[in-house]
Amino acid sequence: AAGMGAPGARYLVSSEARWRFLGGNLYAVGQGGTLLFPETEGRLRPGAFAVVGLGVDNVR
């Protein structure tokens, strides 16, 4: 949380959510957030990302 509220402060945020199906064996996951891309001049340009996927848990 360094620099919060200061002019020109940089920050990154990320969040993830999971939804379970079929008694918890199958799940869908979604993730999104912000990131910083370096430019050739050395500055950082803000951006965003999003990810979705499926997974399986098979505990014996």
Side-chain angles (χ1 to χ4, degrees):
M4 292 291 285
R10 296 178 223 152
Y11 60 91
L12 300 174
V13 178
S14 179
S15 180
E16 178 177 299
R18 292 183 184 217
W19 297 271
R20 294 198 173 265
F21 304 98
L22 301 176
N25 292 333
L26 178 68
Y27 64 88
V29 62
Q31 185 178 21
T34 62
L35 38 84
L36 299 169
F37 291 105
E39 293 184 333
T40 55
E41 301 85 26
R43 292 180 294 177
L44 295 173
R45 182 174 50 96
F49 73 94
V51 180
V52 294
L54 291 174
V56 177
D57 283 339
N58 188 11
V59 179
R60 295 178 190 204

